[in-house]
Amino acid sequence: MAQKLRLHGIPMSSCAARSMICLHEKGVEFELVLVDFFVAVEHKQPPFLSKNPFGQIPVLEDGNLTLFESRAINEYVSNKFKDQGTDLIRHDSLEESALVKVWAEVESHQFHPAIYPIFYQHLLAPLYGKSSNQAIIDEHLEKLRMVLDVYEDRLGQTKYLAGDFYSLADLHHMPMMFYFMKTPWGHVVNERPRVKAWWEDISSRDAFKKVAGGMTIGDK
Amino acid sequence: MAQKLRLHGIPMSSCAARSMICLHEKGVEFELVLVDFFVAVEHKQPPFLSKNPFGQIPVLEDGNLTLFESRAINEYVSNKFKDQGTDLIRHDSLEESALVKVWAEVESHQFHPAIYPIFYQHLLAPLYGKSSNQAIIDEHLEKLRMVLDVYEDRLGQTKYLAGDFYSLADLHHMPMMFYFMKTPWGHVVNERPRVKAWWEDISSRDAFKKVAGGMTIGDK
């Protein structure tokens, strides 16, 4: 019997959540190996650094193969288990898989750089005993509005970002979208009707619901 | 006969160069469609925005398929032309292709955010009549050193980033590495012997040499 996949992380981590959502979409059984993130700071110690030299979660172990970077883990899982669960990469169509890649890169290079600093300043900085910087939040809200304006147009042409199918391109957005909706600026999403409908659609998926409850950063 | 691929961009653009290097590695004929970047600011006008709503170069057109984001273009080209030129994605091995993806994501999420602000402040800002901000440069040099320390270790285990083979994971670094070596901080690369040897190796490839001459930002 094949060994169960091992995902090292913690449920509240946006990046670990990104890979957990994918594993659930694919119907892949895995063991979540909890990392002692806050007390022992295990991810910055040598045993963990031998798995990911950047000292970040998640890490996926599949037998002797060790992978890190959540988006790379998700491509691997989508490729290896292409015949089960949701087809997240459209492996039967060169054109559709190319569009999944385009909009996954948009997440990495347009959406994430705009939204992450808001998440960091509003939800993470207080966790580390730091005060949040409103000027940085305002600057990035402006960038996020521009990105979501493009999404609003795009979602008028196709149901999901890469086409009329849910894919990794949508999935990769979910943890940051979820945390952003906990901030006082969720209206930036809600005032764009197609983006709002897209978020309501993808966040109602079973695979996401299995993970959302663990994303507790910012809860009182 | 299949229509020639059309890449919209300018040779000095680091992102257009990223895709041109890939097209040359794959031995794919393409037409470079010059974008009037500085005078007409064509990439911010509606005809171009219909190809890439973010108003950035490059854009690849292959028949009716229009793609943007240089790294997504490169995956498409590597997939479509997998049987010619250099195998940049290791399509015959699930494990090797996963490691290409991991280190390509490292480029996107560790290397690029560290090096790009240095490139912007030192080489791009003056082009737009702005002064460069040394505090930002210093902050990002520190981040870049930490990333390159990881690379120095990694390149002691494998000849290239993803394994003992040149891949998209290496290729995606090249335009920023090239421009960084024009700054006064090239010693940050050169004082790490394996990173230096890796850069000398990959920058001596024919496909890169065809593109390097056009990357003229910062030349007097």
Side-chain angles (χ1 to χ4, degrees):
Chain A
M1 210 182 92
Q3 219 181 335
K4 206 187 268 187
L5 271 63
R6 292 158 56 87
L7 188 79
H8 299 257
I10 53 174
M12 70 168 66
S13 150
S14 59
C15 295
R18 189 176 290 116
S19 289
M20 286 192 284
I21 300 164
C22 178
L23 286 158
H24 288 305
E25 283 286 352
K26 298 303 292 176
V28 175
E29 269 198 86
F30 66 98
E31 178 192 351
L32 178 65
V33 183
L34 291 175
V35 172
D36 186 343
F37 200 87
F38 293 104
V39 179
V41 199
E42 200 182 331
H43 53 301
K44 301 296 183 191
Q45 313 301 327
F48 190 91
L49 290 171
S50 72
K51 301 185 201 300
N52 178 355
F54 293 99
Q56 294 174 343
I57 53 174
V59 161
L60 182 77
E61 289 182 299
D62 184 7
N64 291 325
L65 184 67
T66 302
L67 303 174
F68 53 95
E69 289 288 339
S70 59
R71 297 162 183 88
I73 289 171
N74 290 0
E75 283 225 17
Y76 171 73
V77 169
S78 302
N79 269 314
K80 175 162 180 173
F81 301 97
K82 64 182 177 184
D83 296 326
Q84 71 179 68
T86 311
D87 178 4
L88 296 168
I89 49 173
R90 311 301 284 182
H91 53 82
D92 284 336
S93 161
L94 188 63
E95 288 71 23
E96 287 180 352
S97 67
L99 290 165
V100 171
K101 195 67 207 122
V102 166
W103 289 91
E105 289 294 315
V106 166
E107 187 276 325
S108 281
H109 294 282
Q110 312 284 347
F111 174 83
H112 190 82
I115 203 167
Y116 183 83
I118 303 168
F119 165 71
Y120 181 86
Q121 292 297 329
H122 189 73
L123 294 173
L124 274 194
L127 209 62
Y128 292 115
K130 295 177 190 169
S131 56
S132 67
N133 182 325
Q134 192 60 41
I136 293 179
I137 292 175
D138 291 342
E139 178 195 338
H140 288 87
L141 280 171
E142 202 44 45
K143 292 182 181 178
L144 184 62
R145 282 189 186 93
M146 292 168 64
V147 173
L148 295 183
D149 281 345
V150 172
Y151 285 22
E152 184 70 6
D153 277 353
R154 174 69 182 169
L155 294 166
Q157 301 161 38
T158 52
K159 186 162 182 211
Y160 298 97
L161 289 173
D164 290 326
F165 47 82
Y166 176 75
S167 74
L168 278 190
D170 307 293
L171 191 158
H172 285 180
H173 288 77
M174 301 187 74
M176 274 299 122
M177 283 289 291
F178 178 79
Y179 276 128
F180 181 75
M181 297 310 282
K182 290 194 189 188
T183 74
W185 304 289
H187 60 88
V188 170
V189 167
N190 289 330
E191 67 205 16
R192 290 168 172 79
R194 293 184 198 118
V195 176
K196 178 174 188 282
W198 167 76
W199 172 241
E200 287 170 354
D201 176 352
I202 63 176
S203 61
S204 69
R205 296 180 69 87
D206 286 344
F208 180 71
K209 286 190 206 154
K210 286 181 187 163
V211 174
M215 284 194 278
T216 54
I217 301 171
D219 291 354
K220 302 296 165 218
Chain B
M1 210 183 90
Q3 217 180 335
K4 207 187 268 189
L5 272 64
R6 291 159 56 87
L7 188 79
H8 298 259
I10 53 175
M12 70 169 63
S13 150
S14 58
C15 295
R18 190 177 289 114
S19 289
M20 287 192 283
I21 299 165
C22 178
L23 286 157
H24 287 305
E25 282 286 352
K26 299 302 293 175
V28 176
E29 270 198 85
F30 66 98
E31 177 191 353
L32 179 65
V33 183
L34 290 176
V35 172
D36 186 343
F37 200 87
F38 294 103
V39 179
V41 198
E42 200 183 333
H43 53 300
K44 302 296 183 191
Q45 313 301 328
F48 189 91
L49 290 171
S50 72
K51 300 185 201 300
N52 178 358
F54 294 98
Q56 294 175 344
I57 52 173
V59 161
L60 182 77
E61 289 183 298
D62 183 7
N64 291 325
L65 183 67
T66 302
L67 304 174
F68 53 94
E69 290 287 342
S70 59
R71 297 164 185 85
I73 290 171
N74 290 0
E75 284 225 17
Y76 171 73
V77 169
S78 302
N79 269 313
K80 176 164 179 174
F81 301 97
K82 63 182 177 183
D83 296 325
Q84 71 180 69
T86 311
D87 177 4
L88 296 168
I89 50 171
R90 310 300 287 180
H91 53 82
D92 285 335
S93 161
L94 189 62
E95 288 71 24
E96 287 180 352
S97 67
L99 289 165
V100 171
K101 196 68 206 117
V102 166
W103 288 92
E105 289 293 315
V106 166
E107 187 276 326
S108 281
H109 294 281
Q110 312 284 347
F111 174 84
H112 190 82
I115 204 166
Y116 183 83
I118 303 168
F119 164 71
Y120 181 86
Q121 292 297 330
H122 189 73
L123 294 173
L124 275 193
L127 209 63
Y128 292 115
K130 296 178 190 169
S131 57
S132 66
N133 181 326
Q134 191 60 40
I136 293 178
I137 292 175
D138 291 341
E139 179 196 338
H140 288 87
L141 281 171
E142 202 45 44
K143 292 182 182 178
L144 184 62
R145 283 189 186 95
M146 290 168 64
V147 173
L148 295 184
D149 281 344
V150 172
Y151 286 22
E152 183 69 7
D153 276 354
R154 174 69 182 169
L155 295 167
Q157 300 160 40
T158 52
K159 186 164 183 208
Y160 298 96
L161 288 174
D164 290 325
F165 47 83
Y166 176 76
S167 74
L168 278 191
D170 307 293
L171 190 157
H172 286 179
H173 288 78
M174 300 186 74
M176 273 300 122
M177 283 289 294
F178 178 79
Y179 276 129
F180 181 75
M181 297 309 283
K182 290 194 189 188
T183 74
W185 305 289
H187 61 87
V188 170
V189 167
N190 289 331
E191 65 205 16
R192 289 168 174 80
R194 294 183 197 118
V195 176
K196 178 175 189 282
W198 167 76
W199 173 240
E200 285 171 354
D201 176 352
I202 63 178
S203 62
S204 68
R205 297 181 68 87
D206 286 345
F208 179 71
K209 286 191 207 154
K210 287 180 186 164
V211 174
M215 286 194 276
T216 54
I217 300 171
D219 291 354
K220 300 297 163 218

